[in-house]
């Protein structure tokens, strides 16, 4: 059985429906704090959908309905009293396609702190921006052109800018939905190195299509198939000694 | 040389394909040529008729600016000047110039100078009071019949009974021209005059200001309501039967004939709310109703065109729905919204029918000073002028059409400039 340290996300019997279609079947999973957990599985297996239940991004889809219980930091995030704004400040998200705002690099990073009122003066905001960009490994590259448009950066830089934008709000958890699928191998390796560094402070959950990536960066791996959680274990176990036949078939490339 | 069987078949079919492409291309070119031909014909017709309308004939007369006669009260006030004998002084100047002595000669000569010349003399005196009690050369507009004579529309060969000028009047005009008193200049009446039954004095200033006021009202009402509706329907409204019904109705309203909005305005704004007729405020409200569907539809399209990833990005850092919409979606959609708005406003600028319904077709000489003063608008002015019989109104109508087109070009130019300025790439 999988030994976990302190648990930050606790899901019990979570099912997600789009209209009448069931996308996720009764998934229960615990995510360890300050480590990297990877969700792998073939396309359409529900791993992205499940990731998006953790910060309630599925709320934006009208037909989407969720059953079961998701607790972040011990708090049921689907309780009626929960406001999604502080939840999403606590559980940040990086998307598949780099999506910086069509504004300056500075404003991209400063946007979150601004709307949450994390800073009340310009100097402090400058510090937050510098710190976030530094931690995202982008400061050296952009410090002379902070007021250029964020969309003018290369794809890998844009994705690191999106990570900086997320960590500027000081979240506890960062959800990454295939963050490297639109990037070249060099940019990918930079992001992977960054994830490893960030995992000292943040809990990272990453959805990935690349099994190599999951094997390289994550400590735990969960394998999803057709809306079911097939197997969840330490990454080493999943890739060397999976218990389920389906997992083995997938990681050895027999399907998917 | 084609070797395989497939290649041979492909080669054989190529000829027919090329022929089809060629004929399709020719069809397109023919359509464009036809459209250009009509455009050129239209522009030539408007410009050839309208450009002369920007000019008119003036006559320079020497007038005796006697203070006692012009300004009986001696205070240069409007009242005093109107009580004075400006008209008489001008007539005396005409008689002196033409040498008319007999009663019928005097009558013929007096008719040659525009009816409104006394106002011109009064404003000349008000502008230059130091010239009182001296003899000055002042330029007056010729009457529209005299103007038509110089333009060649009234011909000497026509029998006297069938033309609007007598032989005597033509002789006087020839004499004035021989003396070098007649000049052909840019018509200040056209730009600074207001509605008038005297063709030589009629101008578009009142209508242009009426149009401007009406459009301002229309914009102030239609833009915020239209954008707010579009934002709500696109970003916040639940997708259900009611919103679907609203959507269908908005789309249908865009195709409703404009005169129907005029009848609606007449029934609601004027009959039920008891607002006055002929005012730019009601005109603007009616045009706003007409423009709203256009603005809503184009604004929704602009909002739809904003990539969802931008919304996700904002929501992902914890922006609320309103923040994501106001900080990110609307700024990106603004250029598209403005384009739709300008198209709607341009449509409103050219609209006549709904304004006829609310009485903006009235003959109003005063220039409206605000949205509650009676006024008219450019297209209605054009409509009215096109109805008048005097020869000179034909040119004035075409000139007014040119000015209306210039208005449109300026508005569209402004829209393109704004869009370029606000557009952001992502």
């Amino acid at each position: 059985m999988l030994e976990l340290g302190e648990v930050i996300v606790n899901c019990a019997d979570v099912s997600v429906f789009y209209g009448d279609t069931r996308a996720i079947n009764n998934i229960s999973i615990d995510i360890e704090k300050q480590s990297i957990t990877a969700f792998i599985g073939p396309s359409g297996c529900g791993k992205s959908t499940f990731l998006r239940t953790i910060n309630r991004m599925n709320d934006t889809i009208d037909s989407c309905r969720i059953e079961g219980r998701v607790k972040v930091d011990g708090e049921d995030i689907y309780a009626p009293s929960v406001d999604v704004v502080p939840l999403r400040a606590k559980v940040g998200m990086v998307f598949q396609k780099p999506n910086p705002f069509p504004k300056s690099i500075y404003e991209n990073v400063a946007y979150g702190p601004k709307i949450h009122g994390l800073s009340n003066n310009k100097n402090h905001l400058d510090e937050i921006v510098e710190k976030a960009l530094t931690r995202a490994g982008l400061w050296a590259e952009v410090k002379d052109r902070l007021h250029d448009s964020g969309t003018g950066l290369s794809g890998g830089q844009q994705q690191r800018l999106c990570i900086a934008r997320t960590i500027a709000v000081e979240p506890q958890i960062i959800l990454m939905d295939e963050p490297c699928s639109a990037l070249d191998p060099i940019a990918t390796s930079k992001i992977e190195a960054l994830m490893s560094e960030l995992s000292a402070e943040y809990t990272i959950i990453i959805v990935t299509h690349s099994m190599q990536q999951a094997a390289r960066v994550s400590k735990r791996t969960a394998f999803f198939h057709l809306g079911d959680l097939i197997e969840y274990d330490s990454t080493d176990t999943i890739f060397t000694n999976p218990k389920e036949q389906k997992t083995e078939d997938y990681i050895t490339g027999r399907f998917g | 040389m084609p070797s395989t069987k497939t290649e041979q078949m492909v080669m054989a079919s190529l000829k027919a394909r090329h022929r089809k492409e060629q004929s399709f291309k020719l069809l397109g070119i023919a359509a464009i040529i036809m459209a250009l031909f009509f455009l050129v014909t239209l522009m030539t017709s408007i410009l050839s008729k309208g450009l002369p309308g920007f000019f008119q004939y003036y006559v320079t007369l020497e007038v005796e600016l006697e203070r006692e006669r012009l300004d009986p009260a001696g205070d240069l006030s409007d009242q005093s000047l109107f009580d004075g004998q400006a008209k008489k002084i001008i007539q005396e100047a005409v008689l002196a110039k033409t040498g008319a002595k007999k009663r019928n000669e005097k009558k013929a000569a007096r008719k040659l100078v525009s009816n409104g010349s006394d106002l011109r003399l009064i404003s000349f005196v008000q502008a230059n009071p130091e010239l009182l009690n001296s003899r000055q050369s002042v330029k007056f507009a010729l009457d529209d019949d005299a103007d038509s004579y110089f333009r060649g529309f009234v011909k000497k060969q026509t029998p006297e009974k069938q033309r609007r000028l007598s032989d005597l009047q033509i002789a006087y005009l020839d004499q004035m021209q021989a003396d070098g008193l007649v000049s052909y200049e840019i018509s200040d009446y056209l730009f600074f005059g207001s509605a008038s039954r005297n063709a030589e004095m009629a101008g578009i200033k009142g209508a242009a200001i009426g149009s401007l006021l009406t459009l301002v009202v229309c914009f102030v009402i239609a833009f915020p309501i239209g954008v707010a509706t579009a934002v709500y329907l696109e970003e916040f409204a639940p997708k259900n039967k009611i919103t679907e019904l609203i959507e269908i109705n908005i789309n249908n309203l865009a195709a409703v004939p404009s005169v129907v909005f005029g009848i609606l305005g007449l029934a609601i704004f004027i009959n039920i709310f008891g607002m006055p007729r002929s005012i730019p405020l009601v005109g603007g409200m009616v045009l706003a109703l007409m423009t709203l569907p256009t603005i809503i539809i184009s604004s929704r399209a602009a909002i739809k065109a904003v990539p969802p990833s931008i919304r996700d990005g904002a929501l992902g850092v914890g922006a609320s729905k309103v923040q994501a919409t106001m900080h990110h979606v609307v700024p990106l959609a603004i250029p598209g919204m403005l384009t739709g708005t300008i198209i709607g406003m341009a449509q409103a600028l050219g609209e006549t029918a709904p304004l006829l319904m609310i009485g903006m077709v009235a003959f109003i000489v005063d220039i409206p000073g605000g949205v509650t003063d009676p006024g008219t608008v450019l297209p209605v002015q054009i409509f009215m002028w096109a109805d008048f019989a005097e020869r000179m109104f034909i040119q004035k109508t075409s000139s007014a059409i040119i000015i209306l087109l210039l208005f449109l070009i300026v508005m569209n130019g402004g829209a393109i400039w704004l869009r370029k300025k606000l557009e952001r790439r992502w």
Side-chain angles (χ1 to χ4, degrees):
Chain A
M1 190 55 211
L2 179 64
E3 294 283 323
L4 291 176
E6 192 185 343
V7 168
I8 187 160
V9 180
N10 162 257
C11 306
D13 296 323
V14 174
S15 295
V16 180
F17 303 83
Y18 291 120
D20 294 330
T21 347
R22 203 182 181 106
I24 298 285
N25 290 324
N26 290 320
I27 288 184
S28 298
I29 190 171
D30 287 342
I31 307 284
E32 192 186 53
K33 198 171 178 175
Q34 287 165 2
S35 72
I36 303 180
T37 305
F39 291 175
I40 60 169
S43 296
C45 67
K47 56 196 188 301
S48 284
T49 301
F50 186 65
L51 187 77
R52 291 164 74 97
T53 58
I54 302 172
N55 69 345
R56 289 184 58 173
M57 279 301 277
N58 283 331
D59 287 15
T60 56
I61 301 163
D62 279 338
S63 61
C64 186
R65 190 164 52 83
I66 286 150
E67 283 175 6
R69 203 192 60 231
V70 182
K71 278 186 175 175
V72 171
D73 231 3
E75 185 192 16
D76 182 356
I77 61 168
Y78 284 92
S81 62
V82 168
D83 188 340
V84 293
V85 167
L87 171 70
R88 288 182 192 148
K90 193 166 161 183
V91 188
M93 187 153 194
V94 176
F95 299 85
Q96 182 171 3
K97 216 178 120 219
N99 60 346
F101 304 132
K103 299 185 180 205
S104 72
I105 295 169
Y106 181 92
E107 284 194 51
N108 261 285
V109 183
Y111 182 67
K114 259 189 209 162
I115 57 169
H116 294 301
L118 299 185
S119 164
N120 42 20
N121 67 65
K122 178 84 174 72
N123 286 340
H124 186 215
L125 194 62
D126 288 350
E127 272 171 40
I128 294 179
V129 170
E130 180 176 347
K131 200 171 144 204
L133 282 170
T134 310
R135 276 200 288 182
L138 198 59
W139 177 250
E141 290 160 60
V142 301
K143 64 170 187 270
D144 299 323
R145 46 175 177 148
L146 284 178
H147 296 283
D148 289 2
S149 174
T151 49
L153 297 172
S154 74
Q157 288 173 325
Q158 287 190 14
Q159 196 60 300
R160 279 181 283 149
L161 178 61
C162 292
I163 294 174
R165 177 175 75 188
T166 307
I167 56 185
V169 207
E170 296 291 343
Q172 293 184 23
I173 304 170
I174 303 174
L175 308 177
M176 296 189 174
D177 191 354
E178 298 180 40
C180 301
S181 64
L183 305 182
D184 64 60
I186 295 168
T188 302
S189 70
K190 278 189 184 161
I191 303 256
E192 285 177 6
L194 176 61
M195 280 192 275
S196 307
E197 272 172 47
L198 292 175
S199 65
E201 272 178 85
Y202 305 99
T203 307
I204 295 177
I205 307 175
I206 175 176
V207 163
T208 177
H209 267 295
S210 155
M211 281 175 280
Q212 292 85 342
Q213 185 171 53
R216 279 193 300 265
V217 299
S218 69
K219 189 171 168 195
R220 320 273 174 213
T221 297
F223 172 62
F224 288 74
H225 182 56
L226 297 177
D228 292 311
L229 175 59
I230 305 295
E231 194 168 351
Y232 176 44
D233 215 321
S234 77
T235 302
D236 284 347
T237 315
I238 292 276
F239 283 97
T240 55
N241 189 19
K243 292 183 187 63
E244 301 288 332
Q245 186 60 41
K246 268 187 194 153
T247 315
E248 188 173 346
D249 289 350
Y250 181 68
I251 60 165
T252 52
R254 251 166 256 165
F255 79 97
Chain B
M1 231 2 240
S3 49
T4 67
K5 196 152 182 272
T6 323
E7 267 182 65
Q8 279 166 7
M9 284 163 78
V10 169
M11 291 311 270
S13 73
L14 265 185
K15 210 171 175 185
R17 272 194 267 175
H18 284 163
R19 205 170 46 238
K20 238 179 196 165
E21 258 168 51
Q22 204 62 33
S23 59
F24 196 74
K25 215 162 111 186
L26 283 177
L27 215 65
I29 292 172
I32 289 176
I33 288 175
M34 194 126 115
L36 278 179
F37 169 75
F38 284 124
L39 185 70
V40 168
T41 316
L42 179 76
M43 290 315 285
T44 323
S45 151
I46 291 178
L47 288 178
S48 65
K49 286 214 184 66
L51 288 180
F54 285 104
F55 300 88
Q56 71 185 76
Y57 284 92
Y58 291 88
V59 60
T60 310
L61 294 173
E62 292 221 332
V63 285
E64 201 69 58
L65 301 179
E66 291 170 63
R67 176 140 210 168
E68 304 85 73
R69 292 182 68 198
L70 274 170
D71 183 19
D75 56 0
L76 285 173
S77 64
D78 285 349
Q79 189 56 50
S80 164
L81 289 164
F82 276 116
D83 289 344
Q85 300 174 356
K87 197 163 218 156
K88 200 121 190 252
I89 289 175
I90 296 165
Q91 286 174 356
E92 281 164 13
V94 179
L95 297 184
K97 186 47 60 190
T98 53
K101 293 269 169 357
K102 290 187 211 132
R103 198 165 166 274
N104 66 327
E105 287 176 355
K106 286 182 174 177
K107 199 177 160 194
R110 278 202 292 261
K111 275 193 183 157
L112 295 177
V113 177
S114 166
N115 248 338
S117 295
D118 50 334
L119 290 175
R120 170 137 308 192
L121 185 61
I122 288 172
S123 45
F124 178 80
V125 169
Q126 278 178 326
N128 312 288
E130 73 281 358
L131 295 179
L132 276 170
N133 287 328
S134 67
R135 214 176 151 75
Q136 293 295 330
S137 292
V138 183
K139 226 173 258 169
F140 298 104
L142 278 173
D143 186 67
D144 64 314
D145 289 331
D147 191 280
S148 296
Y149 170 68
F150 284 122
R151 287 179 200 269
F153 296 131
V154 176
K155 293 189 176 67
K156 275 186 219 171
Q157 301 91 300
T158 321
E160 190 176 6
K161 286 245 164 70
Q162 290 174 24
R163 54 173 139 83
R164 292 175 60 89
L165 289 172
S166 64
D167 288 342
L168 190 61
Q169 285 174 312
I170 289 181
Y172 288 152
L173 288 172
D174 286 344
Q175 186 199 329
M176 285 184 196
Q177 196 174 30
D179 291 347
L181 299 175
V182 176
S183 53
Y184 184 58
E185 289 174 25
I186 286 185
S187 163
D188 52 351
Y189 280 112
L190 177 68
F191 297 107
F192 303 111
S194 203
S196 172
R197 275 297 347 230
N198 291 313
E200 76 278 1
M201 287 166 64
I204 48 102
K205 190 180 177 191
I209 290 180
S211 267
L212 200 70
L213 290 171
T214 308
L215 280 189
V216 166
V217 172
C218 175
F219 178 82
V220 164
I221 296 175
F223 184 68
I225 296 182
V227 168
T229 309
V231 168
Y232 177 75
L233 285 178
E234 216 35 66
E235 296 286 322
F236 297 99
K239 303 273 172 284
N240 57 27
K241 285 266 179 283
I242 299 172
T243 47
E244 217 169 272
L245 193 73
I246 291 174
E247 201 175 325
I248 291 168
N249 274 303
I250 290 172
N251 291 341
N252 284 338
L253 277 177
V256 166
S258 57
V259 69
V260 175
F261 289 101
I263 296 171
L264 185 79
L266 175 66
I268 295 182
F269 299 138
I270 293 179
N271 282 350
I272 297 181
F273 294 157
M275 298 174 90
R277 279 155 218 275
S278 313
I279 62 172
L281 179 63
V282 175
M285 285 158 77
V286 168
L287 292 181
L289 291 181
M290 195 194 84
T291 317
L292 263 175
T294 315
I295 297 183
I296 295 173
I297 292 170
S298 60
S299 298
R300 290 187 67 174
I303 293 170
K304 268 203 191 108
V306 175
S309 65
I310 298 288
R311 282 182 199 87
D312 285 349
L315 295 175
V317 292
S320 65
K321 187 100 206 207
V322 174
Q323 284 172 328
T325 305
M326 287 307 170
H327 296 166
H328 300 285
V329 177
V330 171
L332 286 175
I334 277 279
M337 293 173 170
L338 279 178
T339 311
T341 308
I342 296 287
I343 290 172
M345 301 297 285
Q347 213 181 341
L349 173 68
E351 209 48 78
T352 316
L355 300 179
L356 300 185
M357 286 291 138
I358 57 152
M360 285 191 92
V361 70
F363 181 80
I364 293 150
V365 178
D366 288 330
I367 288 164
V371 291
T372 51
D373 287 348
T376 187
V377 293
L378 275 172
V380 175
Q381 185 76 76
I382 291 167
F383 169 78
M384 287 196 282
W385 280 355
D387 229 21
F388 290 158
E390 283 84 352
R391 184 87 215 189
M392 213 176 160
F393 273 121
I394 297 175
Q395 284 120 35
K396 292 238 166 172
T397 305
S398 300
S399 303
I401 290 173
I402 293 176
I403 292 170
L404 183 64
L405 288 177
L406 284 177
F407 245 82
L408 279 174
I409 290 171
V410 168
M411 272 174 71
N412 284 328
I416 292 168
W417 177 77
L418 256 181
R419 200 172 56 198
K420 282 262 177 302
K421 206 173 139 68
L422 294 173
E423 216 159 45
R424 277 193 250 173
R425 289 184 314 119
W426 55 79

